[in-house]
Amino acid sequence: MDSALASDRVYLRETVRTAVKLLIVGHFAVGKTTFVGTLSEIRPLRTEETMTQAGALVDDLAGVQQKKTTTVAMDFGRLTLNERLVLYLFGAPGQQRFTPMWEDLASGALGALVLVDTRRLEHSFEVMGLLEEQGLRYAVAVNHFDNATSYSEEELREALDLLPATPLVMCDARDPASSTRALITLVEYLLASTDQEQA
């Protein structure tokens, strides 16, 4: 019985008819790998490598000096929502030098969840700019870090220069319930936007 359950988690159900590709994006060290790993029903694909002295010259480690690894290609996870619908989660690397790969990952994506860190909000602008260039809708999730200052939603919206329609939620990438709520916010936003276009 255990092996059958494990098998069910690995292989896609035969009843699945729709697969949706979503990006999980954000700047360097914001929690994308953690988020994908928290929600994936399969063992996530990770392309993490140990950070080197050479990387220290180009990666801004301010506030994240304890970080020892970094994503060099992508993270990948899967989440089955019901018998017919599955989400594929693609976590994109956050450093600017990976932008060409990031643009490839965006191809075919329905939308994106942008993770941000209140200690380094200014690093989020480039990521949101890339999404807008690609024409991808996105929601923003403020990832919880234990030593980060809390701000009101109004302050965060102003600091990030978000449009009124852009969803903004708080989340903890380590917590399945919190991460699920953030992903639901994105999916609801994408569905509502699609309905408006078709009306």
Side-chain angles (χ1 to χ4, degrees), residues 1 18-19 24 39 49 52 54 76-77 79 86 91 104 107 119 166-168 181 189 195 199:
M1 179 120 173
T18 305
I24 309 301
L39 287 182
E49 292 294 334
T52 64
F76 172 77
L79 181 61
V86 66
D104 289 340
S107 177
R119 301 169 300 176
T166 304
L168 174 67
R181 283 192 298 273
Y189 173 58
D195 288 346

Side-chain angles (χ1 to χ4, degrees), residues 56-69:
L57 300 174
V58 291
D59 294 331
D60 182 4
L61 293 174
V64 290
Q65 292 86 350
Q66 73 284 2
K67 189 164 176 61
K68 303 296 182 205
T69 62

Side-chain angles (χ1 to χ4, degrees), residues 166-187:
T166 304
L168 174 67
V169 296
M170 306 298 157
C171 88
D172 185 334
R174 302 165 295 185
D175 177 59
S178 176
S179 297
T180 299
R181 283 192 298 273
L183 202 59
I184 288 171
T185 297
L186 170 64
V187 171

Side-chain angles (χ1 to χ4, degrees), residues 10-133:
V10 174
Y11 297 104
L12 200 58
R13 295 177 186 173
E14 292 180 6
T15 56
V16 170
R17 296 294 175 258
T18 305
V20 176
K21 179 180 182 180
L22 298 175
L23 297 184
I24 309 301
V25 299
H27 56 75
F28 173 66
V30 75
K32 300 176 298 290
T33 298
T34 301
F35 186 94
V36 172
T38 295
L39 287 182
S40 183
E41 66 194 13
I42 59 172
R43 187 172 69 179
L45 168 69
R46 292 186 171 141
T47 57
E48 293 249 309
E49 292 294 334
T50 302
M51 295 182 67
T52 64
Q53 288 290 68
L57 300 174
V58 291
D59 294 331
D60 182 4
L61 293 174
V64 290
Q65 292 86 350
Q66 73 284 2
K67 189 164 176 61
K68 303 296 182 205
T69 62
T70 188
T71 300
V72 295
M74 67 173 180
D75 299 306
F76 172 77
R78 187 185 78 202
L79 181 61
T80 303
L81 293 188
N82 59 42
E83 290 183 356
R84 300 176 62 85
L85 177 63
V86 66
L87 301 180
Y88 290 126
L89 309 177
F90 287 80
Q95 297 96 313
Q96 187 174 16
R97 65 184 182 275
F98 294 119
T99 299
M101 182 180 303
W102 192 98
E103 291 170 345
D104 289 340
L105 286 175
S107 177
L110 187 61
L113 184 68
V114 181
L115 294 181
V116 300
D117 177 352
T118 59
R119 301 169 300 176
R120 300 176 294 146
L121 285 178
E122 68 279 5
H123 294 286
S124 303
F125 297 132
E126 183 178 352
V127 173
M128 291 187 289
L130 286 170
L131 288 171
E132 289 165 5
E133 286 174 19

